[in-house]
Amino acid sequence: MEKLKFYIDGAWVDPVEPATLAVVNPATEKAFARISLGTRADVDRAARAARCAFATYSTTSVQQRLAWLQRIIEGFRARLPELARTMTLEMGAPITFATERQATVALFHFEEAARVLADYRFEEPMGPGIVRREPIGVCGLITPWNWPLNQVASKVAPALATGCCVVLKPSEVAPLSAMLFAEIVHAAGVPAGVFNLVNGDGPTVGEAIASHPEMDMVSFTGSTAAGVRVARLAADTVKRVAQELGGKSANIILPDADLRAAVMQGVHACYTNAGQNCQSPTRMLVPRAQRDAAFEAARDAVATIRLGDPLDPASTMGPLVSQAQFDKVQALIQAGLDEGATLVAGGLGKPPGLGGGFYVRPTVFGDVTPRMRIAREEIFGPVLSILAYDTEDEAVAIANDTPFGLAGFVQSRDRERARAVANRIRAGRVYLNGAPFDRSLPFGGYKQSGNGREFGVFGLEEYLEVKAILG
């Protein structure tokens, strides 16, 4: 499969300089497609197209933008099976998960952006004047491979809804679903230059976007280290920076919770998307007296996982995305063993009977202490650390003892008690008693998990400037 063009100024165009990269299917470890790698010159071309388009697109009416969003939604729905299968091939998500979560949640962001836009007040009186909210301008969007379309949609949808123009760099590891999405945008009749896509790697195309003087804003999702680099590059032109970065979320199971149900649910939540999920509850905190029961429940949860071919609808976990990710996870499993954690389930090496593919064994460590590497570093694989606590105050202190603050989880039969603990967790989103994902509430981090918010009205307002008119 050859996907060698970029989408710039309403057309599929050749890169300025020919350079290609293979896209590898992580279930087979074999290349199945090729893309082009862009350069600063390609970014410059896209940025200039976006700047030209912004002059007109920023003045379009809400009804015009709603019409384009609706056509994108219709095109998305029509091609949802194709989008899901593409993500299965490019990053290994099981086809059932790719259909029900990866592709569907991405569609949700466009539906939510349309819902918010329809009723949003861009201008309102305040005191002696008027406050207007106007599109910030040209936005550079840099997205990751783990939710390759969800993260594209969570940025592109509010940007287009507000009247901004964008230059998107999807991950070069999993770029094909974003290229299909570009076809949907084109078919929807979105004006030329409003949406542009340039493939490439972070050090070249990503850095060109972050530092480009025509970009008024850069929105980045990825590792904290890369986010720091993006912010430094953006500083010279004082552009707005929105970041959704790493996480090491704690799942506090309080003594009155249904321990077995909470542990089993927590294991599966940790393993969502093969653990390649920034808000995964990777640190499970259990009362010390319930240690043995927690270990037993965790083993039973791991036993229900169906590792296998991600194109098989029965598979519930596929491979990790790449050899590099596999090696990183193996090194951290080894660190857990070396530092004296108890191996409850899983361990080193590939699962038996699967042949090729970047598969890892779903792993649970017990007797983990807060200073161990597996309790502090973002592993980004199906590895759960179980830590013990004696008091509620100690549990909260352990949960907050991290440079990250993306999400938190609390389990208790007493809703008010759970809420009181949630209030003390330093994180941007807290889930009580297995609450489901919600697209309307804000998502983003405290501390080194980033700044800014995505989803709903908060996500929309990331792409707006505030203007006061007096007199």
Side-chain angles (χ1 to χ4, degrees):
M1 185 190 308
E2 302 275 292
K3 293 284 187 179
L4 301 179
K5 294 181 182 292
F6 303 147
Y7 186 74
I8 298 176
D9 204 14
W12 290 98
V13 301
D14 292 322
V16 173
E17 299 175 13
T20 63
L21 178 73
V23 181
V24 174
N25 181 336
T28 65
E29 303 182 39
K30 295 179 180 177
F32 73 100
R34 280 198 314 151
I35 61 166
S36 292
L37 292 175
T39 63
R40 182 171 292 272
D42 297 297
V43 172
D44 187 60
R45 182 179 178 185
R48 284 186 281 109
R51 176 61 62 197
C52 183
F54 179 69
T56 303
Y57 188 69
S58 61
T59 66
T60 56
S61 69
V62 167
Q63 290 308 311
Q64 285 176 301
R65 297 199 297 277
L66 281 171
W68 283 313
L69 288 175
Q70 189 56 43
R71 286 198 286 270
I72 291 173
I73 290 167
E74 291 166 0
F76 209 115
R77 288 173 180 160
R79 299 186 71 173
L80 195 144
E82 182 183 8
L83 292 165
R85 188 176 190 277
T86 299
M87 285 184 279
T88 294
L89 294 176
E90 69 186 355
M91 52 78 61
I95 189 63
T96 302
F97 182 82
T99 303
E100 296 177 356
R101 296 283 300 280
Q102 287 275 10
T104 302
V105 171
L107 170 61
F108 284 171
H109 291 304
F110 279 92
E111 294 174 336
E112 179 65 12
R115 184 192 70 82
V116 173
L117 176 61
D119 297 322
Y120 190 79
R121 296 179 65 185
F122 286 88
E123 189 172 299
E124 58 185 335
M126 186 175 293
I130 293 170
V131 172
R132 276 177 56 82
R133 288 174 172 81
E134 301 177 343
I136 193 169
V138 176
C139 303
L141 312 179
I142 304 171
T143 59
W145 49 258
N146 60 322
W147 290 84
L149 207 53
N150 173 67
Q151 291 304 125
V152 167
S154 70
K155 300 178 192 301
V156 173
L160 298 189
T162 54
C164 293
C165 296
V166 306
V167 177
L168 168 68
K169 187 202 92 66
S171 169
E172 72 277 17
V173 175
L176 303 175
S177 55
M179 298 183 79
L180 285 180
F181 170 71
E183 295 177 9
I184 292 171
V185 172
H186 182 79
V190 173
V194 171
F195 172 86
N196 305 274
L197 182 151
V198 178
N199 280 319
D201 60 21
T204 305
V205 173
E207 294 200 1
I209 287 174
S211 61
H212 200 285
E214 287 290 358
M215 301 291 175
D216 300 295
M217 171 183 176
V218 59
S219 179
F220 172 81
T221 298
S223 71
T224 296
V228 169
R229 177 64 177 163
V230 165
R232 285 176 174 157
L233 290 167
D236 286 342
T237 46
V238 199
K239 53 175 58 70
R240 182 181 299 177
V241 178
Q243 299 174 318
E244 195 261 280
L245 307 176
K248 194 68 181 175
S249 302
N251 181 10
I252 300 177
I253 301 177
L254 293 172
D256 67 335
D258 181 337
L259 179 81
R260 180 174 177 80
V263 169
M264 294 189 74
Q265 183 184 68
V267 169
H268 288 296
C270 176
Y271 293 167
T272 297
N273 208 34
Q276 300 169 129
N277 193 34
C278 50
Q279 66 169 340
S280 287
T282 53
R283 294 182 297 148
M284 180 180 289
L285 278 56
V286 301
R288 195 174 305 278
Q290 296 177 320
R291 168 194 181 273
D292 293 346
F295 288 7
E296 180 183 1
R299 288 190 195 97
D300 290 346
V302 170
T304 67
I305 293 167
R306 287 285 306 273
L307 272 164
D309 180 359
L311 288 172
D312 181 352
S315 297
T316 61
M317 186 183 292
L320 298 187
V321 75
S322 66
Q323 182 71 55
Q325 198 62 26
F326 176 88
D327 292 343
K328 176 190 175 186
V329 172
Q330 292 297 307
L332 282 162
I333 292 174
Q334 183 65 61
L337 297 170
D338 293 344
E339 291 183 340
T342 299
L343 186 62
V344 176
L348 290 167
K350 294 186 176 183
L354 285 176
F358 305 122
Y359 293 91
V360 301
R361 299 170 67 189
T363 297
V364 177
F365 281 108
D367 301 318
V368 176
T369 59
R371 295 293 103 188
M372 290 181 181
R373 284 184 64 196
I374 56 173
R376 303 206 66 78
E377 297 183 25
E378 185 176 39
I379 299 173
F380 233 58
V383 180
L384 173 67
S385 297
I386 300 180
L387 298 87
Y389 69 87
D390 294 305
T391 67
E392 188 174 293
D393 286 345
E394 183 188 8
V396 171
I398 293 171
N400 288 334
D401 181 21
T402 172
F404 301 111
L406 190 57
F409 300 74
V410 183
Q411 323 300 325
S412 173
R413 285 190 171 95
D414 184 338
R415 191 172 177 181
E416 293 306 312
R417 184 182 186 187
R419 170 65 192 278
V421 171
N423 289 351
R424 300 172 66 191
I425 294 176
R426 298 278 296 163
R429 180 176 272 216
V430 181
Y431 296 84
L432 305 182
N433 294 323
F437 166 88
D438 188 282
R439 60 187 174 182
S440 66
L441 298 178
F443 179 75
Y446 285 24
K447 300 186 283 188
Q448 292 184 29
S449 287
N451 51 61
R453 292 295 181 267
E454 296 184 320
F455 308 173
V457 67
F458 288 86
L460 193 87
E461 290 183 339
E462 284 294 322
Y463 295 86
L464 294 172
E465 287 280 24
V466 177
K467 175 185 285 183
I469 299 178
L470 295 80

